[in-house]
Amino acid sequence: MGRAVRHAVGAAGLWLAALAALGCPSTVSSKAEAGEAVVRRFFQALPAGDCAVLGPMLVTGQGLPSCEETVKDLREHGMGLVDVLDAKVDGRDPDAVVVRARVSQGGTERPEPFLFRVERQGDGWRLRL
């Protein structure tokens, strides 16, 4: 391999490494933003209790409660979102985001933050409750 070719390959490698380094925070940031958005949208829609709207925001699968059961339980306990504190990609699963939020229960804000898990499922991000 000639010197010019080695230089071009080396430069391309550095360029790709720089793009990867720049791309990672963007990807992590967009995942965290998606997780936060799902939690906010879910709790905005919760008072109406409409599973046609809420269902697509929930993780589905065998052994998980139905949307109707989940909504009934949350509404009976008066769960509400006060504010999202932060959202971070789960270090064990790049397709999951942990959202830390302040929530109210029965009209009283809980003293400790609540952790929500949001997972990529199919073509979108969904809340696991």
Side-chain angles (χ1 to χ4, degrees):
M1 205 175 347
R3 185 174 179 209
V5 172
R6 278 194 305 264
H7 179 70
V9 169
L14 286 174
W15 183 75
L16 289 173
L19 280 179
L22 291 173
C24 286
S26 173
T27 301
V28 168
S29 175
S30 66
K31 289 178 181 181
E33 289 169 6
E36 180 179 330
V38 168
V39 171
R40 288 186 188 280
R41 279 195 322 270
F42 182 84
F43 279 96
Q44 285 173 347
L46 182 61
D50 184 358
C51 279
V53 173
L54 295 165
M57 289 186 253
L58 292 171
V59 170
T60 57
Q62 188 174 1
L64 293 173
S66 68
C67 176
E68 290 78 12
E69 292 171 295
T70 299
V71 168
K72 180 180 180 235
D73 189 47
L74 291 173
R75 291 176 77 192
E76 282 178 358
H77 288 93
M79 289 287 289
L81 180 68
V82 175
D83 194 20
V84 171
L85 300 172
D86 57 44
K88 297 180 181 175
V89 174
D90 185 330
R92 300 164 296 164
D93 182 354
D95 286 330
V97 174
V98 177
V99 178
R100 195 169 61 102
R102 293 191 342 248
V103 298
S104 62
Q105 191 170 1
T108 304
E109 186 176 333
R110 293 174 51 139
E112 296 297 320
F114 198 88
L115 299 179
F116 294 100
R117 182 175 173 87
V118 180
E119 302 172 0
R120 187 186 322 253
Q121 189 177 49
D123 60 350
W125 291 89
R126 297 176 180 222
L127 181 60
R128 178 180 289 273
L129 294 172

